[in-house]
Amino acid sequence: MAFGTMTSRVLGQLRESLLAYYFDKRITDAWGAAFRIPNMFRRLLGEGSMSVSFVPVFVEACHDNKERAQNLVNSVYTFLLLVLGCLTAVGVLYPDPLINLVLDSAYIADTEKYLLTLRMTKIMFGFVFFISSYAYMMGILNALGQFALPAMAPTFWNICMIISTLLPNSYFTVHGDQLAIGVLVGGLLQAVVLVPALVKSGYFPKISFDYKNKDLVKVIKNMLPGLLGMGLLQFTTIINLRFSSSLPEGTISYIGYVDRLIELPLSLISVSLGTALLPALSGLLARNEEFKFSQTIRQYLELNMLLTMSAAAGLYVLAQPIVSLLFGRGRFLPDSVLATSGILKTYCWIMIFSSGVRVLTPAYYAIKNTWFPAVLSCVCLIVHILIAPLLMARHQVYGLMVSTIISATLNLFLLLLFFRAMVANFEYLLFFKNNLIYSGLAVLTGFIANIYFLIQKHLPSGNFYILLNLIFSIGTSAFVFIVTGYVFKISAVHEIYQKILKKIKR
């Protein structure tokens, strides 16, 4: 899962670097704003409430008999098609009210940029249909224990985006159209790639209007609070778009680039774990293995915290050279490098708390409790809305980033606080003791990463030497991280080392 995700994210980073090189801030701001809306619906309807509501019921049905599972697959997909069809039609034909709702008046006043954003939204909204279908098929395959192909599928979307970015402007009526068309074609290809695997598994969905299906009713019943919870989580992104659109030109693009940098380690760690955990936890509950259920959650949450703390420390120390290497060329000028690296240094800590939420939430969904995470998301969203303007008034975009971190931290804290009462037993003392040790290892990792600046003083200028120095500095930090973890027998590092060694011996 992590390997497939890594391939996609690396290509995604290449896509963002090309975007910064070939297009000015006006176009990248418009594309970022336009893409944020269909992407929100993708996460909401595809990877969000539908998937987390469907997977536990599907696993339960599979343990019963295949006919019941197939009927569920058919009924849910028919329902999803109707919802997606209506939503896509409205988004393509009448996106204006939604665009006006999520953008600040200062952005809308820039008529040229606003009209470009509107045009891109109309072209890209079909992406919602394709990518949500992909996410549904991915949920089925993940529940059946197939993770590699669904994780690799986004690679095809990124390839389409890279090709569209490199196409000559003369091919298109409006400069920037190629980006919107790339999103649409890439979404179609990403969904189509999973069809053969789904056919082979025997669970390819067929049209069925059996709305009296008890399992379908159960999925929809679980989906409604989940829709609220995931919706509120995604509304944080939309609210941040509204806030950032009131800031100077380029801010939307800078935040997008920072999100991409953070998403690379975040996806390798928490998204992979979270996606793989839901069907696994649902299976443990179906077999009444409650002790193993709670142990699995704690162990993988600890692993997640260890890796994200160290990754955040590394990003904080090396923010400026990383941004300079990946984006500092073409239309991305030195002032943009400084602005983006400053945002990255502030926002990189979000991955610790956001990733914890992504790993912990599947435990609630596995017991079919989708309402409680929804309530917590609502509380955290309200906190963010209240404090973001106050912090932005003094610290501009950095205040917005800090407010988002505070909201995510509160969400993780509340999920942990109520875990034992609502889900299963949880060894809090052991968890916090281990995380105290992990934070020390993260500080060591960040400290070792400073070797970059000592070496760079003696190297010639140029991206080639920055790249070599970053590879050496990050590699040295990783080596110290692994050796220290093994010598001091930090459980997560030691267990992974033993498993890898065991497989090599085989």
Side-chain angles (χ1 to χ4, degrees), residues 13-29 249-261 319-344 463:
Q13 184 57 64
L14 174 60
R15 181 196 78 221
E16 295 291 325
S17 298
L18 291 171
L19 195 68
Y21 181 86
Y22 284 106
F23 297 91
D24 59 34
K25 291 183 286 189
R26 179 172 292 268
I27 293 177
T28 57
D29 273 2
E249 186 170 82
T251 304
I252 294 175
S253 299
Y254 301 154
I255 293 175
Y257 298 142
V258 168
D259 277 336
R260 175 58 53 191
L261 284 169
Q320 195 276 331
I322 288 174
V323 171
S324 178
L325 177 67
L326 294 175
F327 301 108
R329 61 186 64 83
R331 295 178 180 268
F332 204 82
L333 303 177
D335 62 325
S336 298
V337 171
L338 289 176
T340 305
S341 58
I343 295 172
L344 178 58
N463 286 331

Side-chain angles (χ1 to χ4, degrees), residues 403-422:
S403 176
T404 308
I405 292 171
I406 292 172
S407 176
T409 305
L410 179 62
N411 200 346
L412 176 60
F413 174 76
L414 292 174
L415 285 170
L416 273 173
L417 182 64
F418 290 97
F419 190 90
R420 179 179 285 180
M422 305 200 69

Side-chain angles (χ1 to χ4, degrees), residues 262-384:
I262 291 173
E263 277 292 329
L264 179 59
L266 196 61
S267 297
L268 293 178
I269 302 165
S270 65
V271 174
S272 299
L273 284 176
T275 304
L277 271 177
L278 182 56
L281 293 175
S282 300
L284 289 173
L285 286 178
R287 296 190 296 272
N288 295 317
E289 298 181 44
E290 293 183 8
F291 176 76
K292 192 172 182 180
F293 175 92
S294 61
Q295 287 291 101
T296 300
I297 280 290
R298 181 185 60 77
Q299 289 171 357
Y300 282 101
L301 184 58
E302 287 180 0
L303 173 62
N304 175 82
M305 299 298 282
L306 169 64
L307 297 177
T308 52
M309 281 192 285
S310 298
L315 275 178
Y316 176 83
V317 172
L318 299 173
Q320 195 276 331
I322 288 174
V323 171
S324 178
L325 177 67
L326 294 175
F327 301 108
R329 61 186 64 83
R331 295 178 180 268
F332 204 82
L333 303 177
D335 62 325
S336 298
V337 171
L338 289 176
T340 305
S341 58
I343 295 172
L344 178 58
K345 287 172 79 75
T346 305
Y347 197 51
C348 62
W349 308 106
I350 188 71
M351 72 170 68
I352 300 171
F353 311 104
S354 177
S355 64
V357 171
R358 293 191 190 190
V359 172
L360 202 56
T361 303
Y364 285 86
Y365 292 148
I367 63 168
K368 303 181 181 66
N369 182 344
T370 54
W371 66 268
F372 187 69
V375 172
L376 295 189
S377 296
C378 183
V379 171
C380 296
L381 180 65
I382 293 170
V383 169
H384 178 52

